[in-house]
Amino acid sequence: MDYLNKVIGRYRNIRSMKTLEKVYNHQYALVGIGNHCMSNLLPVIQHLQIPLKYICCTSEKKAALITKKYRGVEGTNSLQQILDDEAVDGVFVAASPRAHYGIAKEVIKSGKALFIEKPPCRNNDELNSLIDSTRLYGGVSLVVGLQRRFAPATQILQKRLKKEHVLHYHYCYLTGLYPEGDAMTDLFIHPIDYVLFLFGKAEIVSANMIKASDGGNTLLLTLQHKSVLGMLELSTAYSWNDARETLNINTNKGVYELDRMEQLDFTPKNGALLGLPLEKVVHRNIINLRLYGRNGFVPTIVNNQIYSQGFFSEIETFANIVEERQENMRDFGLESVRSTYELIKGIEDMIVI
């Protein structure tokens, strides 16, 4: 028993030491302090103890309140002040989607590393302009904040799907009305980018828009990837109180069901003999394997929704790039969303939103 206690104590000590030794030495700035930023990004920055020197917003009154609320952080309404400060090496941008392109352009020009929340810009032309700017100013380190790419369930899916033959998938992304912005680039970019991230580039087989009288829109989309056919229902004609996001993937080995990045299940297939389904011949219990799910009983960071949704890992990845702990992987930069914007343009050319 004494030996077991020593082993447990040593394990806990190693785990805490590993966390304490992870120190960020560069300085950062945050542009934008809206609800999404304060709820999802700023808590991660604070938890990781990333040195934040500035928080920038458009309001002088809010800037003054920021200085009072966050110790050691200077509130400012001047982006140029941040860009001129050589001590700042990385900039997180999570402002209004309409402002992202202009801010990103200036940060790239300054040579500072950039984390830009989705959408990084409004259309394909602006994306190409940003990519050209990164090349012009020396290949700035850049991460686009499409957090589903960083979610733990995504990592599990990617590893397993590489070993299986995907037949087809069905994706439902259902929310309520969205009058405050462009649903295509602000909301639907998430599922569109996600299927491209998982299955590669795609051609549009069909795209139909159904408009509700209250302003809700439903996009019914069929995509053909290299060897995978996918059907998507993307809608703002449902409800925010009961918003749903589910992805079902049918492979040669079984069916995956991903529910809002919070739970990933796999149901294996029973197989067949000479075309005869074995489940009709031999009764077997249905096996449902839980590949990922948050443990709500243990209140640790990995069981927090911020972690399961991918916000924690995307912030950590960007900081590690700035701190030169890992290379700037092209999987998460502007080039990685080129096919996403090309597909969005193709959809918009086929329908009237």
Side-chain angles (χ1 to χ4, degrees):
M1 192 67 177
D2 186 53
Y3 173 76
L4 180 60
N5 288 333
K6 286 182 179 180
V7 172
I8 293 173
R10 181 173 176 79
Y11 167 73
R12 288 176 175 173
N13 182 61
I14 292 173
R15 186 173 58 182
S16 62
M17 287 292 290
K18 187 177 180 181
T19 301
L20 291 171
E21 287 172 350
K22 199 165 190 178
V23 178
Y24 295 94
N25 299 307
H26 293 255
Q27 292 192 314
Y28 300 78
L30 172 63
V31 180
I33 192 70
N35 182 60
H36 166 67
C37 182
M38 288 193 290
S39 299
N40 301 315
L41 306 185
L42 194 52
V44 177
I45 293 171
Q46 292 174 317
H47 178 85
L48 291 171
Q49 291 293 293
I50 295 174
L52 201 59
K53 187 173 183 180
Y54 299 100
I55 295 179
C56 182
C57 60
T58 56
S59 165
E60 289 186 15
K61 183 177 180 181
K62 189 181 286 187
L65 291 173
I66 288 169
T67 303
K68 289 181 179 180
K69 182 173 179 64
Y70 301 105
R71 292 186 179 182
V73 178
E74 181 179 344
T76 179
N77 63 346
S78 171
L79 175 63
Q80 196 60 48
Q81 180 183 359
I82 294 172
L83 301 182
D84 290 340
D85 191 336
E86 295 182 359
V88 175
D89 295 306
V91 181
F92 298 94
V93 175
S96 165
R98 292 174 181 81
H100 281 178
Y101 170 73
I103 297 172
K105 196 89 169 176
E106 293 302 313
V107 175
I108 291 170
K109 186 177 179 181
S110 74
K112 301 182 187 299
L114 171 64
F115 174 93
I116 182 76
E117 252 298 340
K118 63 82 194 167
C121 51
R122 305 306 297 179
N123 53 54
N124 204 41
D125 291 337
E126 288 185 352
L127 178 66
N128 290 329
S129 176
L130 289 178
I131 292 173
D132 290 342
S133 293
T134 60
R135 293 169 178 166
L136 180 63
Y137 294 103
V140 175
S141 295
L142 197 149
V143 171
V144 178
L146 286 157
Q147 78 275 0
R148 283 162 179 75
R149 296 179 172 197
F150 298 85
T154 302
Q155 313 308 316
I156 296 171
L157 259 181
Q158 282 188 310
K159 289 179 182 179
R160 293 183 66 100
L161 293 180
K162 286 179 180 179
K163 302 175 183 179
E164 301 179 29
H165 174 59
V166 180
L167 303 174
H168 56 82
Y169 67 83
H170 182 212
Y171 202 145
C172 288
Y173 183 90
L174 316 175
T175 74
L177 298 178
Y178 189 71
E180 65 265 36
D182 181 357
M184 185 66 76
T185 54
D186 295 354
L187 300 180
F188 297 166
I189 190 174
H190 280 299
I192 291 173
D193 177 80
Y194 195 60
V195 297
L196 295 182
F197 187 69
L198 287 178
F199 307 114
K201 290 185 177 181
E203 298 291 332
I204 303 169
V205 177
S206 64
N208 296 282
M209 182 67 77
I210 302 170
K211 296 187 176 183
S213 58
D214 61 359
N217 291 320
T218 298
L219 173 62
L220 299 178
L221 185 65
T222 304
L223 299 178
Q224 178 65 65
H225 303 264
K226 184 178 180 180
S227 58
V228 181
L229 188 67
M231 297 172 287
L232 299 90
E233 179 185 1
L234 314 178
S235 180
T236 59
Y238 285 80
S239 165
W240 283 105
N241 289 329
D242 190 28
R244 301 181 185 185
E245 182 181 11
T246 57
L247 172 61
N248 289 277
I249 305 171
N250 190 9
T251 78
N252 62 316
K253 293 186 177 181
V255 179
Y256 293 91
E257 184 173 353
L258 178 60
D259 185 5
R260 294 167 293 179
M261 301 295 151
E262 299 295 305
Q263 184 174 301
L264 176 62
D265 293 337
F266 176 69
T267 304
K269 294 179 178 178
N270 288 320
L273 180 63
L274 300 175
L276 180 67
L278 293 178
E279 59 188 340
K280 284 192 172 183
V281 179
V282 181
H283 175 73
R284 292 179 181 177
N285 292 330
I286 297 174
I287 300 173
N288 191 351
L289 302 176
R290 178 66 44 83
L291 302 178
Y292 175 77
R294 287 194 298 124
N295 184 347
F297 183 76
V298 183
T300 59
I301 186 64
V302 296
N303 290 318
N304 191 292
Q305 195 172 19
I306 290 177
Y307 189 91
S308 62
Q309 290 293 316
F311 294 112
F312 188 95
S313 295
E314 67 175 1
I315 295 293
E316 187 177 39
T317 296
F318 174 69
N320 286 341
I321 290 171
V322 177
E323 303 286 328
E324 299 181 344
R325 291 175 181 159
Q326 70 181 65
E327 295 181 4
N328 185 6
M329 296 173 285
R330 292 173 61 87
D331 280 351
F332 306 125
L334 290 170
E335 286 281 2
S336 73
V337 296
R338 188 189 289 275
S339 58
T340 301
Y341 275 83
E342 289 175 350
L343 188 59
I344 288 174
K345 185 179 185 303
I347 294 170
E348 292 176 336
D349 288 345
M350 291 182 68
I351 60 175
V352 178
I353 300 178

